[in-house]
Amino acid sequence: MKVLIVGGGGREHAIAWKVSKSPKVTKLYAAPGNAGISEVAECVDISVMDFERLVTFAKEKEIDLVIVGPDDPLVAGAADAFSEVGFRVFGPAKNAAIIEGSKAFSKDLMKKYNIPSAAYETFDDPKKALEYLETAKMPIVLKADGLALGKGVLICNTLEDAKNGVKTLMLDKQFGKAGDRIVIEEFMTGREVSVLCFCDGTDIKPMTSAQDHKRAKDGDKGLNTGGMGTFSPSPFYTDEINEFCMEKIYKPTMAAMKQEGRDFKGVLFVGLMLTEDGPKVLEYNARFGDPEAQVVIPRLKNDIIDVMEACIDGKLKDVDLQFEDNAAVCVVLASDGYPEHYEKGFLIKGLDNFKDKDGYYVFHAGTKLTDEGVVTNGGRVLGVTAKGDDLFKARANAYEAVNWIDFDNKYMRHDIGKAIDEQ
Ligand code: AMP
Ligand code: GLY
């Protein structure tokens, strides 16, 4: 089977690594891929948003299965572009990816189908948003409706912050059109958990849980980022909570999307807040999380191709999804200055230390292969993942392995998995 992966970040490297292990796969391509992915796949320099060239390439190479990794192409209809001309695609159609593409859509869906989430109001008019804030309880959360690289969410402690937030999103348009409409949402407290679920349009199967660290600096300080590190499983996501989420969140979400004529096939990422009143949905994403994928996929026992094909064919209920009874921790090595300004182009040393080391992985996010070797080429550069018998061992292993890598301006958080000490 010939497979094409669309994307070129750490998530796609984790997917590509796992796909390359499948005995069914004879040839693997990635567009555009990256230096790490090129070790397991042939990379072709086509942008994830250039659907025309991607489809032409897939026809030329007679691709049997296309896997679309990132949110931008999914929300813009990448899965449709392939399926309309007869390709088998893993990833939701545009009309289902809207669950991530529009926060207002997902909030309305949850309200209509009684899926637990924070109370909210939606605004197209900045004047009305400002008026509403005058009587609202602080802290409060402002969210740009559209995609904003995970950065369009503002947590505001005071009325003044909130008013400035409305200005940033709706008037200064810091996130462009994504901020034409905003959701203003009740602030929730509790532990956050990410649960990625395989979906076939009807059935939904949660994978093992994970927790991300979204802020740039130790102690959850600094700006929001795409994610600075993850651990899996979350010790706070108990079987009982999983059972609750299955009945009150996962199954109802699948049924709601079906009812709306938007069958969801692919990975549904459910961001949860475990509040005092029970688990509530923070957000939905229409894809694997990054870096969540980097701790979840290495623990998946199944052949990922079997699971993806079952999702496409509506046969997920026949799949016995299994994860290893261990733990994994991923520490992101970033360029100093991320998520704002940073330099790139620095030589990365030590990648070979991961060769043939069982249970240790270096997933490439922002790297480039040059004549001198692999160099830094983005804000998030590498995801160093290690497994261990339990979370403590996995964390110790990951923080040992980050020392095997060296590059100028290397930056990381030192407290990934801190919550493990609080269980
Ligand atoms: P989102 O992209 O919607 O997941 O938001 C990014 C981050 O903002 C989440 O991971 C939470 O840490 C935080 N957040 C979002 N919505 C809320 C909320 N209603 N209450 C508290 N924190 C929130
Ligand atoms: N790590 C969060 C995300 O992928 O959106």
Side-chain angles (χ1 to χ4, degrees), residues 103 143 153 155 185-188 192 214 282-283:
K103 301 248 188 223
K143 298 185 174 184
V153 174
I155 310 236
E185 191 174 279
E186 166 204 3
F187 176 76
M188 301 189 287
E192 280 188 49
K214 288 209 168 97
L282 274 170
E283 63 161 347

Side-chain angles (χ1 to χ4, degrees), residues 20-317:
S20 75
K21 299 260 174 247
S22 170
K24 302 200 166 93
V25 175
T26 51
K27 179 79 193 175
L28 180 56
Y29 298 94
N34 63 32
I37 295 174
S38 69
E39 282 168 23
V40 291
E42 188 177 324
C43 295
V44 337
D45 193 15
I46 307 177
S47 144
V48 298
M49 297 303 280
D50 191 345
F51 301 167
E52 209 177 300
R53 280 186 67 209
L54 287 171
V55 168
T56 304
F57 177 81
K59 283 182 180 162
E60 221 176 85
K61 300 293 181 191
E62 300 177 326
I63 297 294
D64 301 296
L65 172 66
V66 183
I67 301 165
V68 184
D71 41 347
D72 280 330
L74 285 166
V75 168
D80 311 63
F82 285 106
S83 62
E84 275 160 12
V85 290
F87 287 104
R88 286 165 66 74
V89 193
F90 181 78
K94 183 178 180 178
N95 77 347
I98 191 176
I99 201 166
E100 169 165 11
S102 167
K103 301 248 188 223
F105 171 87
S106 69
K107 294 298 294 185
D108 291 347
L109 186 87
M110 287 187 268
K111 188 190 255 179
K112 182 169 170 188
Y113 292 92
N114 273 320
I115 296 165
S117 183
Y120 75 104
E121 296 283 342
T122 303
F123 297 92
D124 296 300
D125 178 355
K127 240 175 78 201
K128 294 234 165 76
L130 290 169
E131 265 168 39
Y132 171 81
L133 287 175
E134 293 289 347
T135 55
K137 208 171 124 225
M138 300 295 143
I140 202 155
V141 185
L142 310 185
K143 298 185 174 184
D145 178 50
L147 292 182
L149 295 170
K151 293 165 201 155
V153 174
L154 306 178
I155 310 236
C156 306
N157 288 314
T158 64
L159 179 59
E160 199 187 335
D161 283 356
K163 284 180 168 170
N164 285 333
V166 169
K167 186 166 170 290
T168 307
L169 296 175
M170 300 189 90
L171 299 171
D172 302 346
K173 301 232 174 278
Q174 190 169 333
F175 301 101
K177 285 180 79 63
D180 282 354
R181 169 176 291 179
I182 64 166
V183 168
I184 300 187
E185 191 174 279
E186 166 204 3
F187 176 76
M188 301 189 287
T189 51
R191 295 229 176 247
E192 280 188 49
V193 186
S194 303
V195 182
L196 317 180
C197 307
F198 283 109
C199 307
D200 72 357
T202 304
D203 285 302
I204 180 161
K205 292 208 170 166
M207 300 178 220
T208 182
S209 60
Q211 185 179 322
D212 191 9
H213 300 67
K214 288 209 168 97
R215 299 298 195 97
K217 299 199 169 136
D218 286 1
D220 290 326
K221 302 245 162 51
L223 293 171
N224 259 327
T225 69
M228 294 299 294
T230 36
F231 60 87
S232 170
S234 162
F236 310 104
Y237 188 79
T238 58
D239 289 347
E240 194 189 342
I241 292 177
N242 184 56
E243 196 53 40
F244 175 93
C245 293
M246 201 64 206
E247 296 310 317
K248 301 284 183 203
I249 296 175
Y250 309 148
K251 285 185 189 165
T253 303
M254 286 306 283
M257 290 298 275
K258 191 173 249 334
Q259 181 71 28
E260 298 289 316
R262 297 173 183 276
D263 289 23
F264 191 99
K265 291 185 172 202
V267 171
L268 181 70
F269 168 137
V270 186
L272 296 165
M273 184 76 95
L274 308 180
T275 76
E276 271 185 356
D277 304 326
K280 293 188 182 180
V281 177
L282 274 170
E283 63 161 347
Y284 293 115
N285 294 319
R287 47 161 178 93
F288 282 102
D290 189 356
E292 283 87 344
Q294 301 179 47
V295 283
V296 169
I297 291 178
R299 300 184 52 228
L300 174 64
K301 284 191 188 172
N302 305 60
D303 181 333
I304 197 167
I305 293 290
D306 290 344
V307 186
M308 289 180 166
E309 293 218 286
C311 290
I312 295 171
D313 295 330
K315 292 187 172 153
L316 188 59
K317 67 173 182 315

